[in-house]
Amino acid sequence: MSCRLHRPTILHISALPAMRNALLCLGMTLILSACGGSDDNASSTPNLPSNPSSPNTPDETEADTDWLPAGGNATITADISRPFLQIMPNLPSSALGGVSPGRELFITQWTPANQGRVLFDGVGPLFNANACTQCHSAEGRKPIYANDGELSNAILFRLGDAQGVAHAYYGEQMQHQSIDASIATEGKMRYIATVEDDKKSRSIRFEFTPTDSNQPLGDTAISGRISPQLVGMGLLDLIPEADIIAASDANDDNKDGISGRVHWVNEGPDQRIGRFGWKAINSSLRTQNANAMSQDMGLTTSIFMDPNCTVNQPICWTAANGGTPEVSDSSLDAVTDFMTALAVPERRVSNLSTFNQGANLFTQVGCAGCHTPKQKTGDSDRFPLLSQQTIYPYTDLLLHDMGAGLDDGVKEKNAESFEWRTPPLWGIGIVAKDPEARFLHDGRASSLTEAILWHGGEAEGAKTRFKQLPVEQKKMLLSFLNGI
């Protein structure tokens, strides 16, 4: 593999009876003000009409404000310093047999093969990160954009085209690290911050320099994927497929402008509903973990037995491996147990009346059309504590057309390049407190407002109604988002 540097290729990505009194006395950290950009700053405001003043309001129905704990039995008091990657309370000791070793596997730094750490070896030879914590942290989201155009490991890049064809050399995902200096990485990604004049919001351009000048991207599109905060993952895994299907409306039969559809994916001989990943390409938490191990860390599992390279990259097929597979089923199950046991931080509410009015605005503007506030889990034999729980993730787990502005040019499985799974919003206000927080799939938005303004397609009406809100109502809705 040649190590000559090629001229950069420029890629543009246009870019809770009343909150149960007991809940309010649980010692929650009470935060209502929004952060992550001056346009999200919100303070307590006088009572305003519960409905937006826009004549285009599609839904006069008030939100269900008979709040239960945000994550059911998995709810914890919000610790703003370390709100995520916390284990849910009251977990029986019988369940710790998988959760504890799973946590160790999650935080460990994996090494290349044959370095004396049999349980934790086999990373690479090409990879993006050698530990899950390099992308996911207890504080929320890792910073992405460093100085001078440098990028952290908390963003990765998917490759393909609008037909779903991966790059012949690089495959479905770019790997920018290797286990040894003698093994050339695939290339270098940098970013340039821009301003979209028509949206008055920031965007990001990515710049790729391949290590091998003979392997340009050509017509292959490349799309950034930031690492989300990990919260209530096991709860999302337990939402019954029938409920997801019932919420779908692929042909917009109810004529509300929203046509969310199920992403059916093949898993072995079975067809299942995709629910994890930015485009819902993985049907279960176990598969999601195995996919991350494969694509991000170069670790094989019984689900993904082949190296994360194409047939045109012989180093991946000839380099020493850490076993066949490198991550045993028991280790994969342990990591999945740990992820299943992750807790949900409780809401941060200082003024219930204001919070409820924000919830009503969220519904009336149309946000709840995709960001479904409430779901209910099915039964879990492995974690009975999570069975039949009412939860508030604010997602329908469906694919939606988000318009040309968020079309990344990359089709994944049966998800078109302009389609995105509705991301869960629980804990989003904690994330937004970080001045370096970024939003949307590639982190182009630096505030919740910017993220909303990038919405298009099925969300165009909701975005327009948000923009038409009076300033005080807009602040109220944003403060609601910062409290869920």
Side-chain angles (χ1 to χ4, degrees):
M1 182 181 292
S2 170
C3 292
R4 291 172 295 159
L5 293 179
H6 184 59
R7 185 180 62 180
T9 297
I10 305 295
L11 304 118
H12 186 259
I13 303 183
S14 299
L16 164 143
M19 181 80 78
R20 302 272 196 269
N21 291 336
L23 287 176
L24 289 176
C25 302
L26 285 178
M28 297 185 298
T29 301
L30 306 177
I31 294 179
L32 191 61
S33 60
C35 304
S38 60
D39 53 351
D40 285 348
N41 288 339
S43 57
S44 296
T45 54
N47 290 338
L48 295 171
S50 62
N51 296 329
S53 59
S54 166
N56 299 320
T57 299
D59 189 354
E60 298 293 329
T61 304
E62 291 192 352
D64 179 0
T65 56
D66 185 19
W67 307 105
L68 298 170
N73 285 336
T75 308
I76 57 171
T77 300
D79 179 352
I80 304 305
S81 64
R82 295 175 62 84
F84 305 114
L85 298 185
Q86 306 301 309
I87 301 301
M88 64 183 186
N90 304 316
L91 190 68
S93 58
S94 59
L96 293 176
V99 172
S100 294
R103 178 185 178 278
E104 293 307 309
L105 290 162
F106 186 88
I107 67 176
T108 195
Q109 288 196 358
W110 293 71
T111 60
N114 302 327
Q115 292 194 3
R117 299 178 75 230
V118 177
L119 185 61
F120 307 113
D121 76 342
V123 71
L126 298 175
F127 63 99
N128 297 115
N130 66 351
C132 302
T133 50
Q134 288 187 2
C135 300
H136 305 284
S137 75
E139 291 76 20
R141 298 178 182 174
K142 291 274 191 175
I144 303 166
Y145 301 108
N147 295 325
D148 303 321
E150 294 293 320
L151 293 160
S152 77
N153 291 334
I155 185 170
L156 54 83
F157 295 90
R158 299 292 286 173
L159 306 174
D161 62 18
Q163 288 70 50
V165 179
H167 192 277
Y169 182 79
Y170 300 114
E172 298 175 342
Q173 185 168 309
M174 186 71 61
Q175 282 86 32
H176 68 281
Q177 296 193 67
S178 68
I179 58 175
D180 187 88
S182 65
I183 300 175
T185 64
E186 293 182 334
K188 175 75 172 180
M189 294 296 307
R190 295 175 60 83
Y191 79 93
I192 299 172
T194 65
V195 174
E196 296 291 321
D197 291 336
D198 59 331
K199 297 180 177 65
K200 304 299 181 184
S201 61
R202 283 159 282 192
S203 185
I204 297 292
R205 275 195 299 129
F206 294 113
E207 185 180 86
F208 172 63
T209 302
T211 301
D212 185 350
S213 62
N214 294 314
Q215 302 295 340
L217 282 179
D219 294 330
T220 299
I222 189 165
S223 179
R225 298 283 194 274
I226 68 172
S227 303
Q229 73 275 18
L230 299 182
V231 53
M233 301 294 283
L235 296 167
L236 297 176
D237 205 17
L238 288 171
I239 296 173
E241 284 197 344
D243 292 356
I244 301 174
I245 295 171
S248 65
D249 185 18
N251 300 315
D252 191 20
D253 293 332
N254 63 1
K255 307 302 180 185
D256 65 351
I258 299 173
S259 51
R261 71 179 184 92
V262 171
H263 188 190
W264 291 103
V265 298
N266 293 323
E267 185 161 324
D270 302 321
Q271 194 174 58
R272 300 186 61 186
I273 293 177
R275 63 179 76 198
F276 292 101
W278 283 101
K279 287 185 180 284
I281 63 172
N282 296 308
S283 65
S284 68
L285 183 53
R286 190 174 190 268
T287 304
Q288 171 73 9
N289 291 336
N291 194 19
M293 289 172 174
S294 171
Q295 291 293 315
D296 304 351
M297 302 173 71
L299 295 167
T300 58
T301 65
S302 62
I303 299 178
F304 299 102
M305 288 292 293
D306 290 336
N308 63 343
C309 300
T310 67
V311 295
N312 298 312
Q313 295 173 301
I315 184 60
C316 289
W317 303 88
T318 59
N321 65 57
T324 307
E326 291 162 325
V327 182
S328 68
D329 280 348
S330 60
S331 291
L332 177 58
D333 289 342
V335 173
T336 302
D337 279 352
F338 168 68
M339 298 277 283
T340 301
L342 292 179
V344 177
E346 187 53 286
R347 304 172 187 88
R348 288 96 30 225
V349 178
S350 60
N351 185 309
L352 179 57
S353 176
T354 300
F355 184 82
N356 285 345
Q357 289 181 74
N360 285 329
L361 289 166
F362 183 84
T363 296
Q364 293 155 7
V365 164
C367 305
C370 301
H371 291 281
T372 307
K374 184 188 295 188
Q375 298 280 0
K376 188 173 183 178
T377 64
D379 292 325
S380 172
D381 294 333
R382 197 168 182 87
F383 289 87
L385 198 66
L386 299 182
S387 297
Q388 300 298 316
Q389 296 297 293
T390 297
I391 59 175
Y392 297 79
Y394 296 88
T395 177
D396 57 10
L397 297 178
L398 297 172
L399 290 176
H400 294 274
D401 177 355
M402 294 303 293
L406 292 177
D407 187 337
D408 68 345
V410 180
K411 180 179 180 179
E412 294 189 60
K413 295 190 175 180
N414 297 310
E416 302 293 344
S417 59
F418 49 82
E419 290 184 307
W420 301 91
R421 180 206 66 163
T422 307
L425 296 182
W426 48 10
I428 195 69
I430 302 175
V431 172
K433 284 182 60 61
D434 186 347
E436 295 186 71
R438 310 294 301 198
F439 306 92
L440 300 178
H441 64 279
D442 55 7
R444 69 181 67 183
S446 62
S447 71
L448 296 178
T449 294
E450 283 189 13
I452 294 170
L453 296 181
W454 273 106
H455 284 47
E458 297 173 39
E460 186 70 35
K463 177 184 69 177
T464 298
R465 289 184 288 272
F466 171 80
K467 292 169 64 176
Q468 292 173 345
L469 287 176
V471 172
E472 293 304 312
Q473 290 192 341
K474 192 176 296 183
K475 288 181 178 180
M476 190 178 292
L477 194 157
L478 290 167
S479 69
F480 165 76
L481 288 176
N482 279 272
I484 62 175

